[in-house]
Structures are given as C-alpha cells and as structure tokens.
C-alpha cells in the first residue's frame, strides 16, 4: 500500500487527474475491504473451553467475534449475529485464550556452541540477518498459539524489536503482539561480549551504565525510542562459591536501579530484573523491580518482600535443563545446583502466593524448540495444570497491565484465541500442539479446516 501511494505521487501532471481517480479508487477499495473485516462476524464452536480465568472448563461453547474483539461467549450465538457470519467449528478441540510468553528474545537464536554461541551473533551477523531471523521467530511463536510476547532485550541488535513490532502491527509480517524492552541495561563488567583482548572495543549485548545519572538517562533514551518495558540485569553469571553455595555477581547498585525504576514508573512503564540470587536479587527488590526474571534462589525473606511489594516472578524453568555440562566439572555442578535451587524457590513462592507469570527465555534456546515445553516444568515444580495455563493467560495479562484485554475469553477482550486437540488439564503437553490460532480476529492457523 505504501509503495502504491508513492507511485501515485511520483507521476507527472499529464495524467494527474486520471491517476488520482485510479489511486483514489484503489484506496477506496482497500478501505472497503478493511471496513468489511472490521464488521465481519465469526462464530467459533468448540467442545471445551478454558477461558483463562475461570477455575473450571466449560463445554459445548460458542464464541462470537466481531472484527478484532470477542462480543459474546455462550451456548449458542445471540440472535442478532447475522446469518452471513463465518462459522469455524473446532469440533472436539479445547479452545483457550491466545497464550502469553512474558520472557522471550526474538533476536537471539540459542547459544549453540557449534554455531559460534552467543558472540558470533553480535560479531558476524548483519543486523538485517538478525531481523530476518527475528521475523521467523515471531511467526513460529504465533503458529504455536502465542499471541503476545514480552520481549526481554535484543542482545546487541539495537532497537530492532521496535521495527519488528511495527512490521507486525502494520500487517507486513505475521507475529504476536509485542511488548519490547529494546537494549536492556547492565553495568561495566556486567555483560558480554567479554574475554577479548582488553585493547579492543567490542559491542555489548546491553546498554552499559555506571552511576544513577547514566542509569536514568538510559531509561529515558530507551523509553523515548519506544521501549514498553525496561530490562535490567541485576546479576551476572553464576558459579559454585568456595563455600559450596550457588553464587552470582551483583551488578547495579540500589541507587542506580532506583533511578531507572523512578524514571520508568514516571512514564507509566515497568522494570523487569534478571536476578539469580544473593546480593543482586536483594538489590533488585530493594530498588523496586516490578518482576524478578529467573529467580533461581529466593530466600524466605525475599519471598515475603515480593508479597509485600507485589513483585512478579517469571521463573523460566525449562531453559536451565538445556545443555548441562558434565556432572564432574565445576560448570556441570553449577548447572545442577541451579536446577535444584530453582525448583525449591518456585515451590516456596507458589505456596506463599507470589504472582507467577509464564516465561521461557526462548531465543536463549533455539526457536525450533517448542515454547510450550515450559508448562510441563511448571507442573512438575508444583503448579496444577490450570495454574500453569493461567500463568500464560490471565496472569500474564495482569503482569502486562492488560487484564480483560488479553489472556481471557470474555466479551470485550481482544479476539486472541488458540485451540489444541485433547485435554490440557490432563496433559499440559497438548498445549504444544496448536491446531487453531486467531489474533485480533484474524485466523493465522486452522488445521481443522482441512478435516
Ligand atoms: Zn532472558
């Protein structure tokens, strides 16, 4: 559409009137088409519905979508739905809200050693290549039923996430609704690339700040350029200390973090903090982070502080099971200590009533892996299947400040839906097998239409 408009402007005056008529007609036809879509009714029927907020599933349901929104949920379509409405029968499938992954990296492609790990992505891959692969990543997420992602930093790909978000919103590429955090923030010594000759100036996977003034400026810059969230790395790396305990390096001071949180909150934005354990995690809470990412080892006092402050927990359990080093090596022992501590922290936080949202860190592992594998880890660590589903629906929506709009099947909500064959309450593994995906009323996948 943009190219067509430009052509119209570029032509000379001789055929100006004729062209104006042609171009005008083109625009009018397009406007009619989009007006038609906005007016269209779709009636979806399914044997079972899990609506994202109710504790029980509902059977033999009809969901009516008008344009981009859900307008009715019931046993049958209301009488005022036109007879011309499109009907999508999902048969025995289970209908759910479109899923929300609250921790992704669309610009990362795993850190596969055979492919050069993390560093090669920053050092050798042109930004256009990374953007092309991000385009594939978002399409894969959508096809798996994830209609909203909170992306947690581009890892050296600058403000590329804003471009991908725009491309999705303008309809150039298929993808989930994106909430982006752009560069991410850490301190000198607090993020890769690392380990090169000290004379070299190398790119970093985040924006580096030192001191509260730079911290505040970084938050302002990122928000000015379009960040929906601010992502801060409050710890760096982890290892087993001389005392045999899991340790991680703290990065920002409380003062630096407070400057960021103060600035973000002033703009109505929130701050997500990568925090493993120890001093860095304590500083994350004292500095007022809105969500703790990973939280491998959380003390009872910190859980109490999270409850007091209303802090969210986005644990990303499954990613820590990937590529464990051999058990008899320091890093192998570290890998196993992380998993063990993580499970304990998750169970304690869940029992205490800490708010938990589903996040995977996909991008940290390849996008070819199923995103839904996290559900099984959540259940294994103590959630009921319904809690796990809600962590990726109504709870995720709450974290993102979008309750009632996404993560729920209810009148007034965005028409973000997915469906799976089978019963996800009996086996959350079925959530990895999307057969139907709708976002904002547009169908992106319907395996049922061929049957
Ligand atoms: Zn991450």
């Amino acid at each position: 559409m943009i190219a067509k408009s430009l052509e119209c402007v570029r032509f000379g005056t001789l055929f100006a009137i004729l062209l104006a008529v042609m171009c005008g007609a083109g625009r009018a036809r397009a406007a009619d088409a989009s007006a038609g879509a906005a007016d269209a009714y779709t009636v979806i029927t399914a044997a079972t519905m899990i609506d994202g907020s109710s504790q029980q599933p509902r059977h033999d349901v009809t969901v009516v979508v008008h344009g981009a929104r859900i307008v009715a949920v019931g046993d049958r379509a209301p009488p005022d739905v036109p007879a011309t409405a499109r009907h999508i029968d999902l048969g025995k499938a289970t209908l759910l809200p479109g899923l929300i992954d609250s921790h992704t990296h669309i610009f990362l492609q795993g850190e596969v050693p055979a492919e050069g790990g993390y560093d090669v992505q920053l050092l050798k891959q042109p930004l256009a290549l990374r953007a092309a692969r991000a385009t594939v990543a978002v399409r894969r997420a959508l096809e798996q039923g994830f209609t909203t992602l909170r992306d947690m930093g581009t890892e050296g790909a600058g403000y590329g996430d804003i471009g991908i978000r725009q491309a999705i919103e303008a309809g150039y590429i298929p993808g989930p609704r994106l909430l982006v955090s752009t560069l991410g923030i850490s301190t000198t010594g607090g993020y890769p690339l690392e380990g090169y000759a000290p004379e070299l100036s190398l790119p970093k996977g985040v924006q580096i700040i030192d001191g509260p003034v730079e911290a505040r400026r970084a938050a302002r810059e990122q928000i000015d350029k379009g960040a929906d969230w601010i992502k801060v790395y409050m710890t760096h790396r982890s290892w087993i200390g001389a005392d045999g305990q899991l340790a991680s390096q703290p990065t920002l001071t409380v003062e630096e973090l407070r400057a960021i949180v103060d600035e973000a909150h002033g703009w109505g934005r929130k701050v997500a903090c990568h925090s493993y354990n120890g001093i860095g995690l304590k500083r994350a809470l004292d500095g007022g982070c809105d969500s703790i990412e990973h939280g491998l080892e959380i003390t009872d006092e910190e859980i109490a502080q999270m409850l007091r402050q209303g802090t969210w927990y986005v644990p990303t359990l499954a990613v820590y099971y990937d590529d464990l080093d051999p058990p008899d090596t320091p890093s192998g022992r570290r890998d196993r200590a992380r998993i063990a501590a993580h499970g304990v922290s998750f169970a304690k936080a869940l029992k205490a009533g800490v708010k938990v949202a589903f996040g995977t860190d996909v991008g940290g592992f390849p996008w070819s892996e199923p995103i839904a594998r996290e559900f099984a880890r959540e259940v294994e660590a103590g959630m009921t299947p319904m809690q796990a589903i809600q962590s990726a629906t109504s709870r995720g929506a709450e974290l993102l400040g979008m309750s009632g709009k996404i993560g729920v099947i209810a009148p007034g909500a965005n028409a973000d839906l997915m469906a799976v064959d089978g019963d996800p309450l009996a086996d959350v593994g079925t959530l990895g097998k999307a057969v139907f995906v709708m976002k904002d009323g547009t169908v992106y996948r319907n395996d049922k239409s061929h049957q």
Side-chain angles (χ1 to χ4, degrees):
M1 285 302 289
I2 289 170
K4 187 170 188 172
S5 304
L6 286 175
E7 273 170 29
C8 293
V9 170
R10 225 183 285 132
F11 277 104
T13 52
L14 190 57
F15 299 108
I17 294 169
L18 179 60
L19 281 167
V21 169
M22 286 170 63
C23 292
R27 275 196 292 276
R29 274 197 300 277
D32 287 343
S34 59
D39 267 349
Y41 279 88
T42 305
V43 176
I44 301 163
T45 49
T48 308
M49 174 181 79
I50 295 170
D51 72 10
S53 65
S54 306
Q55 291 309 315
Q56 296 300 326
R58 207 165 143 177
H59 297 286
D60 297 321
V61 290
T62 298
V63 175
V64 180
V65 172
H66 183 212
R69 290 196 191 285
I70 295 166
V71 291
V73 180
D75 302 330
R76 61 181 66 85
D80 54 349
V81 173
T84 52
R86 172 175 59 160
H87 182 211
I88 297 174
D89 181 13
L90 297 173
K92 294 189 189 314
T94 302
L95 184 65
L96 299 112
L99 302 173
I100 303 165
D101 188 340
S102 293
H103 191 128
T104 66
H105 297 277
I106 61 170
F107 276 88
L108 266 191
Q109 304 298 331
E111 298 175 18
V112 184
E115 293 175 18
Y118 179 87
D119 293 18
V120 76
Q121 299 179 61
L122 278 72
L123 290 171
K124 293 197 172 176
Q125 298 188 356
L127 188 53
L129 171 61
R130 297 191 69 188
R133 297 191 75 183
T135 302
V136 175
V138 293
R139 193 192 71 217
R140 282 196 174 142
L142 187 64
E143 286 170 351
Q144 291 172 61
F146 286 83
T147 50
T148 302
L149 307 181
R150 184 183 63 152
D151 201 62
M152 292 272 80
T154 61
E155 309 283 353
Y159 289 93
D161 50 357
I162 288 172
I164 299 292
R165 185 184 67 190
Q166 272 183 287
I168 293 169
E169 286 174 359
Y172 293 112
I173 60 170
R177 178 178 296 97
L178 287 188
L179 292 127
V180 302
S181 53
T182 72
L183 308 186
I185 296 172
S186 190
T187 54
T188 295
Y191 213 76
L193 302 177
E194 298 176 302
Y196 293 84
E199 304 77 41
L200 296 177
S201 291
L202 287 162
K204 290 287 182 186
V206 294
Q207 185 167 7
I208 298 293
I209 61 94
D210 292 295
V213 172
E214 287 185 15
R216 187 177 290 275
R217 183 187 300 129
R220 281 184 183 158
E221 280 174 12
Q222 294 183 9
I223 291 167
D224 180 42
K225 290 175 194 289
D228 300 303
W229 276 73
I230 298 293
K231 166 75 178 295
V232 182
Y233 287 83
M234 291 301 295
T235 62
H236 182 44
R237 303 193 178 281
S238 61
W239 62 91
I240 302 287
D243 58 0
Q245 301 297 308
L246 188 68
S248 60
Q249 176 64 44
T251 54
L252 283 80
T253 63
V254 173
E255 289 69 31
E256 288 167 332
L257 178 58
R258 280 204 181 123
I260 291 167
V261 169
D262 182 56
E263 193 62 34
H265 286 180
W267 286 98
R269 305 297 202 281
K270 289 182 181 169
V271 180
C273 291
H274 168 114
S275 317
Y276 274 5
N277 70 343
I279 296 167
L281 176 51
K282 179 75 178 120
R283 288 182 189 170
L285 293 172
D286 290 347
C289 280
D290 297 294
S291 69
I292 296 296
E293 308 299 307
H294 316 302
L296 296 184
E297 190 175 41
I298 312 180
T299 65
D300 293 345
E301 294 73 34
E302 287 162 347
I303 285 173
Q305 190 174 358
M306 290 174 81
L307 287 170
R308 260 195 329 274
Q309 297 180 187
T311 316
W312 285 85
Y313 181 26
V314 185
T316 70
L317 297 167
V319 69
Y320 293 96
Y321 288 81
D322 288 343
D323 304 323
L324 302 183
D325 284 343
D328 51 351
T329 61
S331 55
R333 281 193 286 278
R334 184 272 320 267
D335 289 348
R336 284 157 185 81
R338 293 203 298 204
I339 289 171
H342 211 181
V344 172
S345 300
F346 183 86
K348 282 197 302 188
L350 193 64
K351 190 159 174 241
V354 171
K355 299 181 288 187
V356 179
F358 177 101
T360 63
D361 219 1
V362 57
F365 61 90
W367 283 91
S368 49
E369 297 281 321
I371 303 173
R373 65 185 199 162
E374 180 75 11
F375 287 112
R377 292 293 178 195
E378 287 185 324
V379 169
E380 190 180 278
M383 276 186 165
T384 64
M386 189 60 99
Q387 280 178 311
I389 291 167
Q390 292 184 353
S391 76
T393 54
S394 55
R395 296 301 262 172
E398 202 183 330
L399 166 67
L400 301 179
M402 298 181 76
S403 289
K405 295 186 181 134
I406 59 171
V408 67
I409 303 177
N414 290 33
D416 287 9
L417 300 164
M418 66 92 75
V420 296
D421 275 331
D423 178 7
L425 296 176
D427 174 13
V428 288
T430 60
L431 293 165
K433 295 168 192 151
V435 294
F436 172 78
V437 181
M438 171 181 271
K439 192 193 86 176
D440 283 334
T442 299
V443 175
Y444 289 91
R445 175 173 196 158
N446 186 3
D447 300 5
K448 293 288 175 186
S449 66
H450 310 300
Q451 292 172 10

